Amino acid sequence: MADHASLAGKRVLLVIAGGIAAYKSLELIRRLRERGVTVRAVLTEAGARFVTPLSVQALTEDTVYRDLWSLTDESEMGHIRLSREADLLVVAPATANLLARMAAGMADDLAATVLLATDKPVLVAPAMNVRMWQHAATQANMALLESRGVLRVGPNEGVMACNEYGPGRMAEPMEIVDAIAGFFAQASHRPLAGRRAIVTSGPTHEPIDPVRYIANRSSGKQGHAIAAALATLGAEVTLVSGPTRLPDPAGCRVTHIETAREMLAACEAALPADIAVCAAAVADWRVDGASDRKLKKDGGGPPALALTENPDILATLSRPGDRRPALVVGFAAETGDVLAYATAKRARKGCDWIVANDVSPGTGTFGGSDNTVHLIRADGVESWPTMAKDAVASRLAQAVAEHFTETLKAK
Ligand code: CTP
């Protein structure tokens, strides 16, 4: 069981949506209050069909907030204040409908409005029928919410109220209490507070003419996840991103660029920094003298494209000097002899660490969600098991934090 000491004195706004699991949220209120948490509750109209406002009110010893349009509620506590006067918003149960409304940014009742207006972290405990949970729409909504920084506990697998079996049961109240305690413990653990980081991510697009460009298959998933993980540990992060389909990660300043030269300029503008992580798949070459008019088929056959080398951002940031970040990390995507090539690349680029991975066809690394990496440092190689790109990012951010703690100790 998690350490619950971090819970005392915290303020939780609990949103109770309409699902059979709503009865467990009453137990959740009790368990949180026993640990010194102040709980305020918002009950949706459907939620009030499963638990009575009176029970919620008695357990929270506070008004139960229900109506966006209630003059009394607005005069006592407007929805903006309600959403800000909390350290964490917890949605339990989080129904498929409420998750969809959150993902779409709707504000059609008090619960949705509070969740849209908040500047505080949100934890959801999904609860629904297994098919509703597994439906592509719910999975897409959940993935979108998580990419925006929404935290999740559950759902658990088991027999459901509708007699079907599978994932969909809301996490048990004590599991939700543990997740809340874990959140507060982690939120106070900010070993990179006061450190500035630059992260490059995604591909670059190098124009051939105003409508065509040279690009590559990088999705930006790994770089974006690293930016988010460094921010979670307290770093002030500038993410310099090439064109991707990803939303901007929460808690980072994001500069959007297209070409390698723009990426270098944005990185240099973000200096000074303590940490640089170059995860972008920068195009090595650009078209020399890209046309400012669309190239036409004029009967003379295909145009000859002359290429010229792009600046190497990683090598530039690694160059010794006053503005060199104390820790520069590069990536090496290889398709064979991974360790040998990546070790040579570390020396050639002048960076401190290289994260090396095998991107051969069939590994699913490019565009996929998992990654198998080796961390190459001056003193050796650490090979990590295959894990989700988010987990690789957290582990790398943790290694960065440990590096700075050890450097400080050594001083
Ligand atoms: N990189 C960069 N700027 C470039 C090219 C690469 O910052 N113009 C960075 C990448 O972000 C990554 C590392 O350098 O951190 C990859 O090195 P690179 O030599 O480009 O690797 P490959 O493309 O695999 O090149 P090669 O194997 O041909 O040497």
Side-chain angles (χ1 to χ4, degrees):
M1 197 172 80
D3 176 13
H4 291 160
S6 58
L7 286 174
K10 293 291 188 291
R11 300 165 307 170
V12 164
L13 182 71
L14 175 66
V15 176
I16 305 173
I20 183 69
Y23 76 93
K24 293 193 203 171
S25 59
L26 297 178
E27 171 83 2
L28 175 62
I29 297 171
R30 291 204 56 178
R31 297 295 159 240
L32 286 171
R33 296 215 52 210
E34 279 167 10
R35 287 160 179 79
V37 178
T38 304
V39 184
R40 248 184 203 145
V42 169
L43 190 58
T44 66
E45 198 182 319
R49 292 177 184 256
F50 290 93
V51 289
T52 72
L54 195 61
S55 315
V56 178
Q57 184 159 330
L59 289 167
T60 57
E61 293 186 84
D62 193 0
T63 312
V64 180
Y65 299 89
R66 298 177 60 193
D67 187 358
L68 187 56
W69 306 112
S70 154
L71 284 178
T72 337
D73 286 358
E74 273 298 304
S75 61
E76 283 174 5
M77 173 73 65
H79 59 270
I80 303 289
R81 256 183 75 200
L82 197 54
S83 68
R84 308 275 164 89
E85 288 186 4
D87 302 305
L88 177 70
L89 274 63
V90 176
V91 186
T95 56
N97 181 45
L98 185 50
L99 291 175
R101 289 190 291 137
M102 286 168 73
M106 288 175 70
D108 53 349
D109 69 357
L110 181 61
T113 306
V114 157
L115 286 160
L116 190 61
T118 192
D119 57 354
K120 296 294 163 30
V122 177
L123 169 75
V124 298
M128 66 199 73
N129 165 272
V130 53
R131 297 211 193 288
M132 290 170 79
W133 171 248
Q134 286 171 339
H135 195 285
T138 306
Q139 290 298 308
N141 289 332
M142 194 65 244
L144 179 60
L145 291 169
E146 286 182 282
S147 75
R148 291 179 188 153
V150 168
L151 305 164
R152 169 166 69 87
V153 51
N156 294 343
E157 201 159 305
V159 181
M160 319 210 29
C162 48
N163 280 330
E164 284 185 67
Y165 184 90
R169 281 168 64 108
M170 189 169 88
E172 294 304 318
M174 281 314 292
E175 290 177 279
I176 302 176
V177 172
D178 282 348
I180 297 171
F183 163 77
F184 285 119
Q186 205 203 339
S188 60
H189 177 66
R190 293 168 68 82
L192 290 175
R195 304 269 176 202
R196 288 166 58 103
I198 301 172
V199 178
T200 70
S201 182
T204 61
H205 285 183
E206 308 295 335
I208 297 170
D209 68 16
V211 294
R212 305 178 177 96
Y213 55 82
I214 299 174
N216 61 66
R217 293 186 196 282
S218 166
S219 66
K221 278 185 190 156
Q222 188 62 81
H224 277 54
I226 291 167
L230 291 169
T232 301
L233 294 190
E236 193 188 312
V237 179
T238 301
L239 170 64
V240 181
S241 173
T244 74
R245 292 163 170 270
L246 303 173
D248 290 350
C252 302
R253 185 180 309 124
V254 185
T255 309
H256 295 275
I257 54 81
E258 292 204 345
T259 67
R261 286 184 293 174
E262 288 165 2
M263 183 172 271
L264 177 61
C267 289
E268 287 181 329
L271 289 171
D274 305 282
I275 305 150
V277 181
C278 294
V282 183
D284 289 321
W285 314 98
R286 68 174 181 277
V287 176
D288 194 10
S291 170
D292 53 10
R293 302 181 59 178
K294 187 179 168 199
L295 298 177
K296 304 295 275 180
K297 292 190 289 294
D298 56 6
L305 295 181
L307 299 180
T308 187
E309 197 160 346
N310 264 330
D312 190 315
I313 297 155
L314 176 62
T316 309
L317 292 173
S318 300
R319 226 173 263 152
D322 292 352
R323 282 162 76 79
R324 185 194 193 277
L327 181 66
V328 182
V329 184
F331 270 72
E334 309 290 348
T335 52
D337 279 337
V338 176
L339 293 184
Y341 280 128
T343 305
K345 199 165 282 177
R346 192 183 85 86
R348 196 168 67 241
K349 303 265 184 175
C351 59
D352 303 293
W353 299 356
I354 282 268
V355 181
N357 60 358
D358 189 342
V359 291
S360 307
T363 58
T365 307
F366 254 135
S369 299
D370 287 353
N371 208 350
T372 314
V373 309
H374 312 271
L375 179 59
I376 303 176
R377 298 190 260 209
D379 58 358
V381 180
E382 222 178 86
S383 294
W384 296 354
T386 300
M387 45 186 152
K389 288 183 176 173
D390 284 348
V392 170
S394 303
R395 188 149 166 188
L396 183 66
Q398 203 52 53
V400 169
E402 280 161 19
H403 169 80
F404 280 100
T405 317
E406 277 158 25
T407 316
L408 280 182
K409 260 196 241 151
K411 276 188 181 164

